[in-house]
Amino acid sequence: MSPLFVAGFDAGQTTCRCRLLRWDPTNPSDGLDEPTLGDGEGSGVSHLEAEHGEARFIAAINSSLTAARAAAGLPSTAAPLAAVIGASGLEQGTALQGRAQALMAAALGLPAEHCLATGDERTALHGAFPNRPGIVLISGTGMIAVGRDDQGVEARSGGWGWMLDGGGSAFDLGHQGLQLTLRMADGRMAGAPLRHRLWDALGCNSAAEIKALVVRPERSVAALAQLAPLVVEAAGHGDHDARRIVQHSAQALAEAVKAVATTLALSAPAISPRGGVLSHLPLMRDLVEDALGERLPGWHWQQGGGDACAGALALAKGLLRPR
């Protein structure tokens, strides 16, 4: 007989991860210290409003669950009792969230109340801080700060998309760096090695080619985010204009954290850093630490903590507890 289990999904544009956890109705804990049954990866998602968005969402759930069941040695027909998915763009309380939730319930054959589709920042938060207050600061292609207090009240700041609110993200670092190179190209600024490095990375030889690239947002967002390490590297090697970009980006992240801390009355919060900018760009992380110290004396990084799949599982277990 197959064990009872819940499923947690972390859906990205490239892959969707699924993790299965045994469900024990007599265990009131979040269960994150229990050994998981299995992990699996499947196809990625896109925005539900994008072409084939719904089909990709369903395929991501099914393919990653199939892989996780196989890893756990479960039959292909075994179904979770509850499931939670975290995906970018699923704003809390919106019609889009309800639509994703309905798709998930139908794909898994579950009642709607046993499914939750939410933003990946919330699953990251519940993975990092399942039972205590803290703030998750995410800086990858995009950025967002999200936190919770000791009563479980949540707040967020930032994360309104690359077009409106990218300050502190890899996209914003690359975007601002590329803007500098265009000013160099037409004589508004003196030239610098950064121009050639960014243009070479994009495979472009002229300002006209850059202009043609960025009118295709589906390509340009990821392409510009990939320029972030080059901008930060230039800042570290004494490029004063690049340094101003990186410092502005660090201040934007600290500003978002401060807003969440103020809303939740967290005076010296634990902060869990997530995303490639904070993980792989030491200068950026150092400047963020300086900016946080100016705004939040006593703050500290949290070491460890669960990932977004762990957070999804904690939320999934919560769906099955008596209310």
Side-chain angles (χ1 to χ4, degrees):
M1 182 177 177
S2 298
L4 303 176
F5 65 94
V6 295
F9 298 85
D10 179 32
Q13 294 185 28
T14 304
T15 60
C16 179
R17 297 186 300 134
C18 174
R19 185 173 300 157
L20 308 181
L21 179 70
R22 188 184 301 271
W23 164 248
D24 179 0
T26 65
N27 181 3
S29 74
D30 55 56
L32 299 185
D33 294 329
E34 301 171 17
T36 56
L37 293 172
D39 286 70
E41 282 194 359
S43 56
V45 300
S46 56
H47 197 285
L48 284 185
E49 295 290 357
E51 185 177 8
H52 309 304
E54 290 193 355
R56 289 198 69 195
F57 186 78
I58 293 169
I61 291 171
N62 287 336
S63 59
S64 58
L65 175 59
T66 295
R69 276 190 301 226
L74 297 173
S76 60
T77 54
L81 295 176
V84 172
I85 188 169
S88 176
L90 294 181
E91 298 290 345
Q92 194 74 1
T94 63
L96 194 67
Q97 182 190 32
R99 185 169 146 201
Q101 209 151 291
L103 288 169
M104 185 181 194
L108 296 175
L110 294 176
E113 62 270 21
H114 287 178
C115 289
L116 174 64
T118 190
D120 53 2
E121 73 281 355
R122 289 195 68 227
T123 51
L125 175 64
H126 283 263
F129 301 102
N131 294 310
R132 63 189 185 90
I135 297 173
V136 167
L137 176 60
I138 302 173
S139 178
T141 300
M143 62 75 65
I144 192 170
V146 58
R148 63 185 310 201
D149 66 13
D150 56 5
Q151 301 300 311
V153 176
E154 297 180 12
R156 61 84 67 84
S157 183
W160 301 112
W162 63 270
M163 187 177 289
L164 298 172
D165 186 33
S169 67
F171 166 81
D172 192 60
L173 287 165
H175 184 213
Q176 290 194 60
L178 197 59
Q179 289 181 70
L180 282 183
T181 70
L182 295 176
R183 294 172 66 196
M184 296 172 192
D186 63 16
R188 285 177 284 171
M189 289 181 63
L194 182 63
R195 171 186 165 188
H196 300 291
R197 296 207 65 194
L198 297 190
W199 286 20
D200 287 348
L202 293 174
C204 295
N205 295 307
S206 69
E209 290 181 6
I210 297 293
K211 183 178 179 181
L213 175 89
V214 300
V215 297
R216 293 174 285 175
E218 74 285 353
R219 178 182 174 189
S220 66
V221 173
L224 267 61
Q226 291 171 3
L227 301 179
L230 299 178
V231 176
V232 176
E233 181 182 358
H237 288 152
D239 186 317
H240 297 298
D241 294 307
R243 180 86 180 194
R244 278 194 290 271
I245 289 173
V246 178
Q247 287 177 324
H248 178 270
S249 203
Q251 292 290 337
L253 292 177
E255 179 183 69
V257 171
K258 173 65 174 179
V260 172
T262 299
T263 299
L264 298 176
L266 302 177
S267 59
I271 302 172
S272 177
R274 305 292 172 105
V277 170
L278 295 172
S279 300
H280 303 306
L281 302 178
L283 174 60
M284 181 66 180
R285 183 159 169 151
D286 289 346
L287 292 174
V288 169
E289 290 175 354
D290 292 342
L292 286 170
E294 295 169 3
R295 289 171 168 81
L296 286 169
W299 76 274
H300 56 282
W301 292 128
Q302 173 185 274
Q303 303 302 320
D307 62 8
C309 275
L313 288 170
L315 288 167
K317 291 193 75 171
L319 295 175
L320 296 175
R321 296 192 185 106
R323 302 182 184 182

